Amino acid sequence: MRSPFRSLLSALTQAAPAGLLTAGLLSAGLVAVASVALPAHAEEHAKPAPKAAAPAPAKPGAKSAKAKLMVGSPMTKVRFSEPAFPLTDDGTYRGYMDRILDEYGRRCVRQEQFGWEIAKDDQERLDYIFQGTMTNYGRIGYLLGEIHPKAVTDPETIAFLADREKKRFLLVWTPLETSVLFMMCETVDKAAKTEATPKTVQKK
């Protein structure tokens, strides 16, 4: 894989603004992981989806005094190779994942996103985080398949569909200059209804 630590903002501005990702990210200790290759995308994809207004960067003082690290994903029940910082979303992450899923006739119904702070050019630690986490998906029974959606315009961003127990998840890894973002969401068929809409009873 080519060094992932180049700016992805030109390709992913509407999906992962640098300020939104890096504000509040914390470092954590390394954990030994198994080997899963981090593939590279050689081909260029289609032009980005229509531009969306980028949210204002998070203010330095806005984060909590003691941010909580997560050892894994509550949604997918998978442990990370090392603890990650949970990120909030103002709609940009969801919008980006929905653009990807639209190509497969699916949409997000719930999501999570996490980040790790990584020293510039620390390829070894990036590999540890990615390899160990993806290996853990396989260990608990997820069937993983890499996808190449047109909405992903940068070759360093990697997307997967992960199936387990009749559920399908979208997993998206985006390395930035000094951090890595991991977005995921549970998906359903685009035509499926998540819950019944209550009917309004008209009084006579």
Side-chain angles (χ1 to χ4, degrees):
M1 176 183 179
R2 297 187 304 279
S3 173
F5 296 99
R6 62 184 182 82
S7 175
L8 299 184
L9 298 184
S10 60
L12 205 59
T13 299
Q14 69 273 33
L20 183 62
L21 171 61
T22 57
L25 286 181
L26 300 177
S27 298
L30 291 176
V31 177
V33 299
S35 58
V36 173
L38 183 63
H41 296 168
E43 72 275 14
E44 289 297 326
H45 298 291
K47 294 181 179 180
K51 295 181 179 178
K59 295 180 181 179
K63 65 178 182 177
S64 59
K66 198 169 185 179
K68 182 180 179 181
L69 288 170
M70 302 288 288
V71 297
S73 160
M75 182 174 65
T76 63
K77 311 300 183 187
V78 171
R79 189 177 182 88
F80 303 139
S81 54
E82 66 171 80
F85 186 79
L87 304 175
T88 58
D89 182 24
D90 66 354
T92 51
Y93 299 143
R94 170 65 70 91
Y96 181 63
M97 289 189 285
D98 272 335
R99 285 196 294 275
I100 292 174
L101 289 169
D102 188 59
E103 300 178 36
Y104 301 89
R106 303 187 73 80
R107 60 185 173 85
C108 286
V109 288
R110 58 180 179 143
Q111 71 188 84
E112 293 174 346
Q113 48 277 323
F114 300 91
W116 293 263
E117 188 178 62
I118 299 177
K120 188 174 182 179
D121 297 325
D122 191 347
Q123 180 70 48
E124 183 177 5
R125 182 153 176 258
L126 175 61
D127 288 344
Y128 281 157
I129 291 170
F130 173 84
Q131 291 172 359
T133 301
M134 294 305 290
T135 296
N136 288 342
Y137 273 90
R139 281 176 177 165
I140 68 169
Y142 278 90
L143 297 177
L144 299 167
E146 187 180 358
I147 57 175
H148 302 270
K150 293 179 180 179
V152 176
T153 59
D154 192 278
E156 305 300 347
T157 294
I158 304 172
F160 296 87
L161 290 178
D163 293 357
R164 180 174 181 255
E165 296 178 352
K166 297 183 180 180
K167 290 185 177 181
R168 172 165 288 181
F169 297 88
L170 172 67
L171 313 177
V172 182
W173 290 87
T174 300
L176 299 173
E177 189 173 1
T178 57
S179 54
V180 61
L181 167 66
F182 182 31
M183 296 174 281
M184 66 189 85
C185 71
E186 183 179 348
T187 79
V188 295
D189 187 273
K190 201 171 180 181
K193 294 182 179 180
T194 53
E195 58 184 23
T197 304
K199 296 181 179 179
T200 303
V201 178
Q202 295 182 348
K203 294 182 179 180
K204 293 183 180 180

